Amino acid sequence: QVQLVQAGGGSVQAGGSLRLSCAASGYTYGSDYMGWFRQTPGKEREGVAHIYTGGGSPYYADSVKGRFTISQDNAKGTVYLQMNSLKPEDTAIYFCAAELANSAYDPREAESYLYWGQGTQVTVSS
């Protein structure tokens, strides 16, 4: 059974940094996508970044490009999201996701993923 356990997050002032982690167990790491999404009340889950765990260039949403960095530790089966220069509009619950339900699905879309972490709150104050 695949489990994704998130850590990190919290509250920070604008301009600050936070790092999220997502540790995968029961997952064939290195052969599929893992991604980070965020959600605010009343809105759909928004793709932030994703990476193919077997290697390749990561993807970033325009809203976070240049500020957020997704990385992975293959040995630990863990994906990270380093968030710098945080803005109040980055405030959201952040979720990690793993494994596309179908290899043809778009990894930028939340509906594409089978497994989800528990979510963690990120709050950025002005």
Side-chain angles (χ1 to χ4, degrees):
Q1 183 178 359
V2 175
Q3 284 192 318
L4 304 178
V5 178
Q6 296 180 222
S11 298
V12 67
Q13 289 193 327
S17 299
L18 288 171
R19 189 173 86 151
L20 307 180
S21 65
C22 177
S25 61
Y27 172 65
T28 306
Y29 199 87
S31 62
D32 212 308
Y33 287 90
M34 289 186 72
W36 288 98
F37 292 78
R38 64 188 182 186
Q39 191 168 24
T40 54
K43 293 191 176 181
E44 293 187 352
R45 209 163 282 192
E46 171 195 20
V48 174
H50 67 252
I51 192 167
Y52 183 71
T53 58
S57 298
Y59 161 85
Y60 298 98
D62 288 342
S63 57
V64 306
K65 203 172 292 183
R67 300 187 298 120
F68 290 12
T69 302
I70 187 170
S71 63
Q72 58 181 337
D73 184 330
N74 288 19
K76 294 182 179 180
T78 300
V79 170
Y80 303 93
L81 186 68
Q82 178 66 43
M83 304 183 291
N84 298 330
S85 302
L86 282 161
K87 304 175 181 179
E89 51 264 42
D90 294 318
T91 296
I93 299 175
Y94 283 71
F95 298 88
C96 67
E99 192 169 330
L100 300 184
N102 185 299
S103 61
Y105 289 177
D106 188 342
R108 296 171 296 180
E109 300 294 331
E111 299 76 25
S112 299
Y113 289 87
L114 284 175
Y115 304 106
W116 289 88
Q118 78 274 21
T120 186
Q121 178 70 45
V122 170
T123 302
V124 185
S125 57
S126 57

